[in-house]
Amino acid sequence: MTHPFLDLAPLSAARFAAIEDRVARLLGTRQDVVIMQGEALLPLEGAIRGTAGPGTTALNVITGPYGQTFGDWLRDCGATVIDLAVPFHTAVTAEQIRAAFAEHPEIDFVSLVHAEAATGNTNPVAEIGEVVREHGALFYLDAVASIGAEPVLPDAWGVDLCVIGAQKAMGGPAGVSAVSVSVRAWDRMAANPGAPRRSYLSLLDWKERWVDGGRKALLHAPAQLEMLALEACVERIEGDGLETVMNRHRTAARSTRAGAVALGGGLEPYVSDERDAAPVATTLRVPAGVVASELVSRALASDPALPLAAGGGALAKEMVRVNHYGADATAGAVRGSLAALGAALAEKGLAVNVEAALRAADEGDWR
Ligand SMILES: *Cc1c(COP(=O)(O)O)cnc(C)c1O
């Protein structure tokens, strides 16, 4: 008996290339798009190791946990790293980037996370890109949590290495990812003696053996199921319309924020200024005397399918994350999350107004 997941025809090079082209269209880019056969950390690490080395001075912007990891990789490559950390409840500004260049004109690489699902903030990439371009530095962007939730425009913003994954707002698989690579970034890699070659981390291998060869032969057996899932998820986004998908996320974020404020009980938006709040996920600060991870456990006990999580690491005490992305960018998921958090706060003896929270959530533009 044939099995729907197991007995598949091999994925052809032509089909693989067509999926890359579809992802390129989603990004509105004319740069080369390489689909990497692993979770987004693969191109995130491969792109840094490919372009950074002992001659690199990197400005590493830290607005959440991923920035820390990028700094570690950059240092490991031998780069001089200037960390620019901003509090996780805010976003970095173009002015701060400009000031860093003024202080360290030798900066020739900038790493930035667009939106942070883990902390709920999003950074003004278009404005930052202008500053980076003025100084001719290479611009590396982690857009895993922003793609599908808000515009990601590598060409318009001058991003040289733009990494995406499908598992967040795209509502797709986690096991494959993509990176768009500018000509400048390819040139840096080619000139970098430390860039991975003949390695799973190597983007240059894909350049030389796949892109430059006219995309005729794959380097190794592709992650077939994940590739098909990626194709299906891009197809679904095209069918719904990218604008509609992004609007759904924006609405989910606004509704969650407004609903949490209306709920009361001491729950507050974690990201202070709504302008800095990411459409992909909304983070909330719990009142004193409440432990966020316990509150989330109580809320999930009523409905384990709700997209609720406590913050990671030290944030587990103070932060609740509402991961209203992908299939959870819906009025139902937002309403359910607010109601369950309200009930959990009420159990702790805090005064909440669940009806007002649900009303606030319903006022969103849920098309
Ligand atoms: C989710 C995410 C990734 C991918 O990491 P996972 O641990 O696989 O979820 C990378 N960067 C950012 C900013 C993310 O939000």
Side-chain angles (χ1 to χ4, degrees), residues 39-41 44 66-67 70 113-118 142-146 163 165 167-168 174 280 321 325:
E39 197 274 333
L41 286 165
L44 285 169
Y66 289 96
F70 302 161
V113 176
H114 185 185
E116 301 267 8
D142 174 351
V144 176
S146 49
V163 175
Q167 72 264 40
K168 300 261 168 73
V280 71
R321 297 159 57 197
Y325 52 72

Short mmCIF file of all heavy atoms in Angstrom, two decimals, residues 39-41 44 66-67 70 113-118 142-146 163 165 167-168 174 280 321 325, ligand 1:
data_model
loop_
_atom_site.label_atom_id
_atom_site.label_comp_id
_atom_site.label_asym_id
_atom_site.label_seq_id
_atom_site.Cartn_x
_atom_site.Cartn_y
_atom_site.Cartn_z
N GLU A 39 16.82 23.84 9.47
CA GLU A 39 16.13 24.92 10.16
C GLU A 39 16.91 26.22 9.96
O GLU A 39 18.09 26.20 9.59
CB GLU A 39 15.99 24.51 11.65
CG GLU A 39 14.97 25.30 12.42
CD GLU A 39 15.52 26.57 12.97
OE1 GLU A 39 16.75 26.61 13.20
OE2 GLU A 39 14.75 27.52 13.14
N ALA A 40 16.27 27.36 10.21
CA ALA A 40 16.85 28.67 9.89
C ALA A 40 18.22 28.92 10.53
O ALA A 40 19.00 29.74 10.04
CB ALA A 40 15.89 29.78 10.29
N LEU A 41 18.52 28.22 11.62
CA LEU A 41 19.84 28.43 12.21
C LEU A 41 20.97 28.04 11.25
O LEU A 41 22.08 28.55 11.35
CB LEU A 41 19.96 27.66 13.53
CG LEU A 41 19.15 28.32 14.67
CD1 LEU A 41 18.97 27.38 15.84
CD2 LEU A 41 19.82 29.62 15.13
N LEU A 44 21.52 31.05 9.01
CA LEU A 44 21.95 32.14 9.90
C LEU A 44 23.43 31.97 10.24
O LEU A 44 24.22 32.91 10.17
CB LEU A 44 21.10 32.17 11.18
CG LEU A 44 19.67 32.72 11.03
CD1 LEU A 44 18.83 32.45 12.28
CD2 LEU A 44 19.69 34.23 10.73
N TYR A 66 18.52 36.12 19.98
CA TYR A 66 19.28 35.68 18.81
C TYR A 66 20.52 36.53 18.57
O TYR A 66 21.56 36.02 18.14
CB TYR A 66 18.40 35.62 17.56
CG TYR A 66 17.43 34.47 17.64
CD1 TYR A 66 16.13 34.65 18.10
CD2 TYR A 66 17.83 33.18 17.31
CE1 TYR A 66 15.26 33.58 18.22
CE2 TYR A 66 16.96 32.11 17.42
CZ TYR A 66 15.68 32.31 17.88
OH TYR A 66 14.82 31.26 18.00
N GLY A 67 20.43 37.83 18.87
CA GLY A 67 21.57 38.71 18.69
C GLY A 67 22.79 38.22 19.47
O GLY A 67 23.93 38.29 19.00
N PHE A 70 24.40 35.45 17.48
CA PHE A 70 25.13 35.94 16.30
C PHE A 70 26.49 36.51 16.73
O PHE A 70 27.50 36.31 16.06
CB PHE A 70 24.32 37.02 15.56
CG PHE A 70 22.96 36.55 15.09
CD1 PHE A 70 21.97 37.46 14.77
CD2 PHE A 70 22.68 35.19 14.98
CE1 PHE A 70 20.72 37.03 14.35
CE2 PHE A 70 21.42 34.76 14.57
CZ PHE A 70 20.44 35.68 14.26
N VAL A 113 18.37 41.49 13.96
CA VAL A 113 17.16 40.67 13.91
C VAL A 113 16.01 41.62 13.61
O VAL A 113 15.88 42.66 14.24
CB VAL A 113 16.93 39.94 15.26
CG1 VAL A 113 15.61 39.19 15.23
CG2 VAL A 113 18.08 39.00 15.56
N HIS A 114 15.20 41.28 12.60
CA HIS A 114 14.09 42.16 12.23
C HIS A 114 13.05 42.16 13.35
O HIS A 114 12.96 43.12 14.11
CB HIS A 114 13.50 41.69 10.89
CG HIS A 114 12.43 42.59 10.36
ND1 HIS A 114 11.72 42.29 9.23
CD2 HIS A 114 11.95 43.77 10.82
CE1 HIS A 114 10.85 43.28 9.01
NE2 HIS A 114 10.96 44.17 9.95
N ALA A 115 12.28 41.07 13.46
CA ALA A 115 11.32 40.95 14.56
C ALA A 115 11.77 39.84 15.48
O ALA A 115 12.37 38.86 15.05
CB ALA A 115 9.93 40.66 14.01
N GLU A 116 11.47 40.00 16.74
CA GLU A 116 11.86 39.02 17.76
C GLU A 116 10.60 38.35 18.29
O GLU A 116 9.85 38.97 19.04
CB GLU A 116 12.57 39.72 18.93
CG GLU A 116 13.82 40.48 18.54
CD GLU A 116 15.07 39.63 18.70
OE1 GLU A 116 14.95 38.42 18.94
OE2 GLU A 116 16.17 40.20 18.57
N ALA A 117 10.37 37.10 17.91
CA ALA A 117 9.21 36.39 18.45
C ALA A 117 9.39 36.18 19.95
O ALA A 117 8.41 36.14 20.70
CB ALA A 117 9.03 35.06 17.73
N ALA A 118 10.61 36.06 20.40
CA ALA A 118 10.88 35.75 21.80
C ALA A 118 10.65 36.93 22.74
O ALA A 118 10.34 36.74 23.91
CB ALA A 118 12.31 35.26 21.95
N ASP A 142 18.08 38.75 10.15
CA ASP A 142 17.28 37.58 10.53
C ASP A 142 15.81 37.99 10.44
O ASP A 142 15.30 38.71 11.29
CB ASP A 142 17.64 37.15 11.96
CG ASP A 142 16.74 36.03 12.49
OD1 ASP A 142 15.73 35.70 11.84
OD2 ASP A 142 17.06 35.50 13.57
N ALA A 143 15.16 37.53 9.37
CA ALA A 143 13.75 37.88 9.15
C ALA A 143 12.84 36.67 9.39
O ALA A 143 11.72 36.63 8.87
CB ALA A 143 13.58 38.45 7.74
N VAL A 144 13.29 35.73 10.19
CA VAL A 144 12.52 34.50 10.42
C VAL A 144 11.16 34.82 11.04
O VAL A 144 10.13 34.26 10.65
CB VAL A 144 13.30 33.52 11.32
CG1 VAL A 144 12.45 32.28 11.63
CG2 VAL A 144 14.60 33.10 10.67
N ALA A 145 11.15 35.74 11.99
CA ALA A 145 9.91 36.02 12.70
C ALA A 145 9.10 37.14 12.05
O ALA A 145 7.99 37.41 12.47
CB ALA A 145 10.21 36.38 14.16
N SER A 146 9.63 37.79 11.04
CA SER A 146 8.88 38.88 10.41
C SER A 146 8.22 38.45 9.10
O SER A 146 7.14 38.95 8.78
CB SER A 146 9.79 40.09 10.17
OG SER A 146 10.99 39.71 9.54
N VAL A 163 17.72 36.15 5.92
CA VAL A 163 17.37 34.75 6.25
C VAL A 163 15.92 34.66 6.68
O VAL A 163 15.45 35.45 7.51
CB VAL A 163 18.29 34.23 7.38
CG1 VAL A 163 17.86 32.83 7.81
CG2 VAL A 163 19.75 34.22 6.93
N GLY A 165 12.60 31.72 7.65
CA GLY A 165 12.14 30.37 7.93
C GLY A 165 10.64 30.39 7.75
O GLY A 165 10.02 31.45 7.81
N GLN A 167 8.41 28.60 9.60
CA GLN A 167 7.66 28.04 10.74
C GLN A 167 6.90 29.04 11.60
O GLN A 167 6.20 28.66 12.52
CB GLN A 167 8.59 27.21 11.62
CG GLN A 167 9.58 27.98 12.47
CD GLN A 167 10.95 28.11 11.83
OE1 GLN A 167 11.05 28.31 10.64
NE2 GLN A 167 12.00 28.00 12.62
N LYS A 168 7.08 30.33 11.34
CA LYS A 168 6.37 31.31 12.16
C LYS A 168 5.15 31.82 11.38
O LYS A 168 4.18 31.11 11.25
CB LYS A 168 7.33 32.44 12.56
CG LYS A 168 8.54 31.96 13.36
CD LYS A 168 8.41 32.15 14.84
CE LYS A 168 9.47 31.42 15.65
NZ LYS A 168 10.80 32.02 15.55
N ALA A 174 9.35 23.78 9.64
CA ALA A 174 10.54 24.32 10.32
C ALA A 174 11.84 23.77 9.74
O ALA A 174 12.91 24.31 10.00
CB ALA A 174 10.47 24.00 11.81
N VAL A 280 4.11 39.60 14.80
CA VAL A 280 4.17 38.13 14.84
C VAL A 280 3.74 37.56 16.19
O VAL A 280 3.15 36.48 16.25
CB VAL A 280 5.58 37.62 14.47
CG1 VAL A 280 6.62 37.93 15.54
CG2 VAL A 280 5.58 36.13 14.17
N ARG A 321 4.10 35.08 26.51
CA ARG A 321 4.12 35.30 25.05
C ARG A 321 2.84 34.75 24.44
O ARG A 321 2.46 33.62 24.72
CB ARG A 321 5.32 34.58 24.43
CG ARG A 321 6.66 35.10 24.93
CD ARG A 321 7.75 34.07 24.72
NE ARG A 321 7.86 33.68 23.32
CZ ARG A 321 8.50 32.59 22.90
NH1 ARG A 321 9.06 31.78 23.77
NH2 ARG A 321 8.56 32.31 21.62
N TYR A 325 0.75 33.50 15.61
CA TYR A 325 1.25 33.49 14.23
C TYR A 325 0.82 32.23 13.48
O TYR A 325 0.38 31.26 14.09
CB TYR A 325 2.76 33.68 14.17
CG TYR A 325 3.60 32.77 15.02
CD1 TYR A 325 3.78 31.43 14.70
CD2 TYR A 325 4.30 33.28 16.13
CE1 TYR A 325 4.60 30.62 15.46
CE2 TYR A 325 5.11 32.48 16.89
CZ TYR A 325 5.26 31.14 16.55
OH TYR A 325 6.08 30.34 17.31
C1 LIG B 1 12.00 31.51 15.63
C2 LIG B 1 13.19 32.28 15.27
C3 LIG B 1 14.31 31.67 14.71
C4 LIG B 1 14.37 30.20 14.49
O1 LIG B 1 14.65 29.57 15.68
P1 LIG B 1 13.83 28.36 16.30
O2 LIG B 1 14.53 28.16 17.60
O3 LIG B 1 13.97 27.21 15.39
O4 LIG B 1 12.42 28.75 16.48
C5 LIG B 1 15.38 32.49 14.38
N1 LIG B 1 15.35 33.82 14.58
C6 LIG B 1 14.29 34.44 15.12
C7 LIG B 1 14.32 35.91 15.32
C8 LIG B 1 13.17 33.68 15.48
O5 LIG B 1 12.12 34.30 16.03
#
